[in-house]
């Protein structure tokens, strides 16, 4: 066997062994360790392990009559976070403080979930209609060994009673084997207070820490 073929085989075997090891030691209940990731100014909620409820994770559907540009990217805008037939378990930790809300969800499914990654044409999408305008675009994500990561920023403006209401949400995901970690971050609106910027660095670090916690490794 040529030396290049031997090196390729050894590398592939090493990668498979690493993935297998991750799946054997991964434990989504370790997500609760993230409570120490936040300071005392955060209000933490720990959601115990339970069966996956795809309906609760379907995401927000855009109203009818919305125009999407590019038109071919409509599926990416409407794609649910988890397929409706997904089976397995999930757990979550939420944290609210400093004007931000972070929700971290860990999934363990019977089979690996598909990675819904936009084409180059769909990395920035706009939509409008019925008093609503907004964008969906990919954002940089931290690199995690043995995992595929994806980041998306969604923003929406709604015209209502002569006023414009604005909302935004950052979503970061890491896929590895039968596991997926999702971190969402958005500002918390409070009366008579300016809207705080989303701490995207904390959200990115949270994704890395969550994957490390589930794998039983130090981030």
């Amino acid at each position: 066997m040529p030396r290049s073929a031997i090196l390729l085989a050894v590398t592939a075997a090493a990668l498979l062994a690493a993935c297998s090891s991750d799946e054997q030691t991964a434990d989504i209940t370790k997500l609760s360790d993230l409570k120490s990731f936040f300071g005392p100014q955060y209000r933490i909620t720990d959601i115990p392990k339970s069966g996956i409820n795809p309906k609760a994770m379907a995401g927000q559907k855009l109203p009818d009559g919305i125009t999407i540009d590019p038109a071919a990217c409509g599926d990416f805008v409407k794609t649910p976070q988890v397929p409706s037939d997904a089976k397995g378990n999930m757990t979550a930790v939420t944290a609210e403080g400093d004007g931000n809300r972070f929700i971290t969800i860990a999934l363990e499914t019977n089979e690996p979930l598909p990675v819904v990654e936009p084409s180059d044409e769909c990395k920035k999408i706009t939509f409008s209609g019925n008093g609503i305008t907004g964008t969906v675009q990919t954002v940089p994500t931290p690199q995690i060994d043995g995992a595929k990561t994806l980041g998306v920023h969604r923003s929406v403006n709604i015209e209502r009673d002569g006023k414009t209401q604005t909302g935004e949400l950052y979503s970061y995901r890491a896929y590895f084997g039968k596991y997926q970690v999702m971190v969402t971050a958005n500002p918390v609106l409070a009366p008579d207070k300016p809207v705080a910027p989303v701490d995207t660095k904390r959200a990115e670090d949270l994704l890395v820490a969550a994957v490390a916690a589930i794998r039983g490794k130090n981030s």
Side-chain angles (χ1 to χ4, degrees):
M1 180 183 294
R3 183 176 180 180
S4 59
I6 295 174
L7 289 174
L8 181 60
V10 170
T11 301
L15 288 172
L16 286 172
C19 292
S20 175
S21 175
D22 278 342
E23 289 202 25
Q24 289 175 4
T25 60
D27 180 0
I28 63 173
T29 65
K30 295 296 185 181
L31 197 71
S32 62
D33 293 349
L34 293 179
K35 289 183 286 188
S36 61
F37 183 87
F38 297 95
Q41 73 274 31
Y42 283 87
R43 185 170 70 254
I44 309 296
T45 302
D46 193 359
I47 302 173
K49 179 179 176 180
S50 64
I52 291 176
N53 181 2
K55 291 183 179 180
M57 304 176 66
Q60 294 183 339
K61 180 181 181 298
L62 291 175
D64 295 333
I66 296 294
T67 299
I68 297 173
D69 183 31
C73 301
D75 286 344
F76 180 66
V77 175
K78 301 173 183 177
T79 298
Q81 295 182 357
V82 177
S84 59
D85 59 350
K87 293 180 176 59
N89 294 304
M90 61 179 287
T91 185
V93 172
T94 69
E96 189 172 316
D98 288 340
N100 280 190
R101 179 186 296 110
F102 299 92
I103 301 175
T104 307
I105 299 173
L107 301 173
E108 178 184 8
T109 52
N110 295 346
E111 297 180 355
L113 293 176
V115 180
V116 182
E117 190 171 13
S119 63
D120 288 341
E121 180 188 20
C122 299
K123 289 188 174 180
K124 183 173 182 179
I125 307 165
T126 61
F127 55 89
S128 61
N130 296 330
I132 297 176
T133 60
T135 61
V136 178
Q137 59 184 329
T138 58
V139 293
T141 56
Q143 300 301 305
I144 301 175
D145 288 344
K148 176 67 177 177
T149 57
L150 177 66
V152 176
H153 176 226
R154 297 172 182 263
S155 62
V156 61
N157 301 303
I158 301 175
E159 296 290 338
R160 183 175 296 166
D161 299 328
K163 297 181 180 180
T164 301
Q165 297 178 346
T166 301
E168 65 174 338
L169 178 76
Y170 284 85
S171 175
Y172 300 90
R173 304 185 197 181
Y175 301 79
F176 53 106
K178 298 179 182 179
Y179 299 87
Q180 181 184 167
V181 171
M182 296 182 288
V183 173
T184 62
N186 64 281
V188 177
L189 304 182
D192 303 321
K193 288 187 178 181
V195 178
V198 176
D199 189 345
T200 55
K201 178 62 167 60
R202 180 179 289 274
E204 293 175 11
D205 291 346
L206 185 55
L207 183 73
V208 175
V211 173
I214 291 170
R215 285 173 162 172
K217 301 177 181 179
N218 293 325
S219 59

